[in-house]
Amino acid sequence: KDPEFKGEYVVAGAHYDHVGTAETKDFGRLGSKTGADTIWNGADDNGSGTSCLLALARVFGEGRLEARRSIVFIAFSGEEAGLVGSRWYTQHPLGSIDKHVFMLNLDMVGRNPTRPMEIHGVGSGAGGVVRKAVERAVEASGLKAKINDEVKLVGGDSDHSSFADKKVPYAFFFSGFHADYHRPSDHPEKLAYENMVKVVHTSTDIL
């Protein structure tokens, strides 16, 4: 809505791919022989983030919310294969990548509701602007969160990394690892949906 800033972009993203089936994960034909579940559904990784992304798009669309900058909602493919979709976008962005001022990444936000949601990378914006926006949004939504200036995960690459490489400030929401990570047991009935709603409220405020 702001004529001065409408030419700048804020990206809200989540990857919709997972890791396929047991056969594609080099487990041979174990499932067909034993009757075991061979489909790796990826409810948390990253059905949870993708669902929140769709909710955000609905909030701004049907709710007629207005932002000062243009918001780009992107469901990325190929994250598990090496950030393929997000890397492609940062090389072929809408407008110029220099006009992208922030990226919000939702990757695995559906589990561990008794633990604080980890929000990484808030130190990536100049003058603490990202941290201030995140802290305000967390306080307003009631989301229990641990806020980190940098990514504190071993192997913490996700789609935000493609934007960080282009010097775009970001925030990365992550609810933590669990025993079903990259296993066929990552099923939707194990998601903490009420906490995911708080993630959407928090993300809406930030955007």
Side-chain angles (χ1 to χ4, degrees), residues 66-111:
E66 292 184 329
R68 298 183 72 189
R69 293 170 174 83
S70 299
I71 303 176
V72 184
F73 300 95
I74 309 180
F76 296 109
S77 64
E79 189 270 352
E80 301 287 2
L83 315 182
V84 177
S86 56
R87 291 209 186 283
W88 192 93
Y89 178 80
T90 58
Q91 294 165 8
H92 307 84
L94 286 172
S96 166
I97 196 66
D98 295 335
K99 293 292 186 180
H100 288 62
V101 298
F102 178 68
M103 191 271 180
L104 175 70
N105 184 29
L106 303 173
D107 189 356
M108 293 179 60
V109 296
R111 296 288 292 270

Side-chain angles (χ1 to χ4, degrees), residues 30-58:
L30 175 66
S32 60
K33 291 180 181 178
T34 66
D37 186 358
T38 62
I39 300 173
W40 299 48
N41 296 301
D44 187 32
D45 186 16
N46 186 34
S48 62
T50 306
S51 298
C52 288
L53 178 70
L54 292 171
L56 285 169
R58 186 175 183 180

Side-chain angles (χ1 to χ4, degrees), residues 146-165:
K146 180 180 180 182
I147 302 173
N148 298 313
D149 282 338
E150 300 176 351
V151 177
K152 297 290 187 179
L153 302 177
V154 176
D157 277 346
S158 182
D159 290 312
H160 63 274
S161 302
S162 301
F163 290 82
D165 289 346

Side-chain angles (χ1 to χ4, degrees), residues 131-195:
R131 173 175 276 278
K132 291 175 185 175
V134 169
E135 287 178 343
R136 186 188 72 173
V138 164
E139 182 178 0
S141 69
L143 178 69
K144 187 191 308 181
K146 180 180 180 182
I147 302 173
N148 298 313
D149 282 338
E150 300 176 351
V151 177
K152 297 290 187 179
L153 302 177
V154 176
D157 277 346
S158 182
D159 290 312
H160 63 274
S161 302
S162 301
F163 290 82
D165 289 346
K166 298 291 186 178
K167 310 302 182 187
V168 176
Y170 66 91
F172 165 35
F173 279 59
F174 176 69
S175 62
F177 292 109
H178 46 79
D180 301 305
Y181 173 67
H182 280 197
R183 296 181 182 276
S185 54
D186 186 2
H187 289 167
E189 64 270 16
K190 298 178 180 180
L191 296 180
Y193 291 99
E194 291 184 6
N195 213 45

